Amino acid sequence: MPTHSHERITPVRLLALAVFCGISASTVYIPQALLTAISSDLGVSHQTSSVIAASTLFGYAAGILFLVPFGTRVRSSTQVAVQAVVLAAALLCAALSQSATAATAAFFAVGVLGNLAQVIIPAANRMCAPEKRGVTNSVLVGALLVGLFGGRALASVSADWIGWRWTIVGCALLVVLTLPTTLWALGRAVLPVGSPLSHLALVSAALRSARGNPVLLRAAFTQSLVLGAFNSIWAVMVLHLTGLPLFWSVTQAGLLGLVGLVAGLLTPWSGRMIDRYGARRMTGLFLTVLLLSSSAIYATHSSPVLFGVVLFFSTWATQSALSGNQVQALSTSPDHSAQLNTAFSFIVFFIGGFGGVLGPFTFTMGGISAVAVQVTALAFLALLVWRFGPRVRG
């Protein structure tokens, strides 16, 4: 890490990166907000449309494994530029899909290419001083949450006005329009360490780095359970709110996502707590909040106001835990943050992606009450892994 690395990233550059991280993340999760519209337009069941939406999550994990390793040898700005342009093209293909199969393939491609934040976060880590990594990570993770939920809300409103297809086209335009400022912000990024290995060897090395890193494995498995709970509840949110007994409109259901946006705005505060009190200790606190809020879903799901409050704490705890776990994983070898981030993120998003399928399945079997029990169990398991996994200082 260069001595003056803390001078390489300014608040304005960090803001530009945060905006782009939020927009790219929204492309992966927006299909969840469009389940009802996609089902109606393509003539498929809600379960089928949930598989279409979940395909982006599995694509996201695949992209992390096979595209993010380029970050060890390619300039961050170059990788982001190429990947963003192809992502915009994949979004246009999704908007033109005429069948469930075509939509699934297109949204899988969107997921593969939409992991741009996983390229930017390691680059930002190389651009800031070690004592600022918690805040930097939390700003970017918070931006993911703002983009995710802000995108959900806007997509729901937009789908009622112009349809889900033009909504996806709008996402592609946002990616292209924000790319220039993102490339400017990455202009001072420290070059990656580099590697003489082939690309496939780099992928293999990333997986081996996880196997030999118990701290990373604990953080990754903890967060994968957390993400599984998160995906489970939010994958069924529109179905729950638009059905019995609430009968909300799609727009109203999408606007509930604004509670997640507020949670994202508060996530940088969590980063300051991580820097001050230590990542492991604070992650335990976040997981406790997640467990309590998950269990409260069972009692509050029929009361929109209380339900919104519970979702706020659940979402804030989820993203704060992600920041804490990611800081622990990357701190095991800061000079190889891109490789470690590949292993960590692949485990988290591949396992956590199953929540996007498990949630709708559980909802079909027993409604939102059954989903509440499921997410509580996942949160409890995450707390157990955190408690009994190997420790790390800080």
Side-chain angles (χ1 to χ4, degrees), residues 211-291:
R211 185 178 59 186
N213 191 330
V215 171
L216 183 147
L217 286 176
R218 179 201 46 75
F221 284 124
T222 298
Q223 193 61 37
S224 65
L225 292 166
V226 171
L227 185 62
F230 175 85
N231 285 331
S232 292
I233 192 64
W234 282 100
V236 303
M237 193 58 57
V238 173
L239 303 179
H240 166 60
L241 294 174
T242 56
L244 289 170
L246 299 176
F247 289 115
W248 284 19
S249 68
V250 174
T251 298
Q252 290 174 317
L255 290 176
L256 186 65
L258 293 177
V259 301
L261 189 152
V262 176
L265 294 175
L266 293 180
T267 303
W269 173 80
S270 304
R272 297 188 187 94
M273 302 300 289
I274 289 171
D275 287 333
R276 182 172 181 179
Y277 298 109
R280 179 178 171 86
R281 179 185 299 176
M282 292 309 303
T283 300
L285 173 63
F286 302 143
L287 293 175
T288 301
V289 173
L290 176 64
L291 177 61

Side-chain angles (χ1 to χ4, degrees), residues 85-384:
V85 171
V86 184
L87 170 61
L91 286 165
L92 294 178
C93 289
L96 294 172
S97 300
Q98 298 298 318
S99 68
T101 301
T104 300
F107 278 119
F108 179 83
V110 168
V112 169
L113 297 158
N115 52 64
L116 288 159
Q118 305 307 324
V119 178
I120 290 173
I121 289 175
N125 268 263
R126 297 195 299 270
M127 293 167 70
C128 68
E131 65 273 12
K132 296 295 184 180
R133 287 184 191 135
V135 171
T136 299
N137 269 31
S138 292
V139 167
L140 296 178
V141 169
L144 298 182
L145 198 56
V146 171
L148 191 163
F149 287 104
R152 287 179 69 102
L154 290 175
S156 297
V157 174
S158 176
D160 276 351
W161 290 349
I162 60 176
W164 72 270
R165 297 180 185 277
W166 282 108
T167 298
I168 298 298
V169 171
C171 292
L173 289 175
L174 282 176
V175 170
V176 173
L177 291 175
T178 54
L179 180 59
T181 55
T182 304
L183 298 181
W184 166 79
L186 289 171
R188 293 183 178 179
V190 180
L191 291 175
V193 175
S195 173
L197 300 176
S198 67
H199 185 67
L200 290 179
L202 283 173
V203 172
S204 177
L207 296 178
R208 287 198 306 271
S209 71
R211 185 178 59 186
N213 191 330
V215 171
L216 183 147
L217 286 176
R218 179 201 46 75
F221 284 124
T222 298
Q223 193 61 37
S224 65
L225 292 166
V226 171
L227 185 62
F230 175 85
N231 285 331
S232 292
I233 192 64
W234 282 100
V236 303
M237 193 58 57
V238 173
L239 303 179
H240 166 60
L241 294 174
T242 56
L244 289 170
L246 299 176
F247 289 115
W248 284 19
S249 68
V250 174
T251 298
Q252 290 174 317
L255 290 176
L256 186 65
L258 293 177
V259 301
L261 189 152
V262 176
L265 294 175
L266 293 180
T267 303
W269 173 80
S270 304
R272 297 188 187 94
M273 302 300 289
I274 289 171
D275 287 333
R276 182 172 181 179
Y277 298 109
R280 179 178 171 86
R281 179 185 299 176
M282 292 309 303
T283 300
L285 173 63
F286 302 143
L287 293 175
T288 301
V289 173
L290 176 64
L291 177 61
L292 293 174
S293 57
S294 296
S295 61
I297 292 173
Y298 186 90
T300 63
H301 63 78
S302 60
S303 173
V305 174
L306 293 177
F307 190 42
V309 172
V310 167
L311 288 177
F312 164 78
F313 282 105
S314 174
T315 304
W316 170 77
T318 295
Q319 296 303 312
S320 297
L322 173 58
S323 184
N325 280 317
Q326 197 162 32
V327 166
Q328 291 176 80
L330 299 187
S331 65
T332 57
S333 182
D335 289 338
H336 297 85
S337 59
Q339 185 181 69
L340 294 176
N341 191 61
T342 297
F344 172 82
S345 299
F346 172 72
I347 294 171
V348 169
F349 287 98
F350 180 75
I351 298 177
F354 283 97
V357 178
L358 184 59
F361 176 79
T362 304
F363 184 82
T364 302
M365 297 296 102
I368 193 67
S369 296
V371 177
V373 173
Q374 175 203 308
V375 298
T376 301
L378 291 174
F380 181 69
L381 289 174
L383 194 57
L384 287 180

Side-chain angles (χ1 to χ4, degrees), residues 1 4-10 13 17 122-129 185-190:
M1 185 70 66
H4 301 291
S5 61
H6 63 285
E7 297 177 357
R8 293 179 177 272
I9 191 165
T10 63
R13 290 176 186 270
L17 296 179
N125 268 263
R126 297 195 299 270
M127 293 167 70
C128 68
L186 289 171
R188 293 183 178 179
V190 180

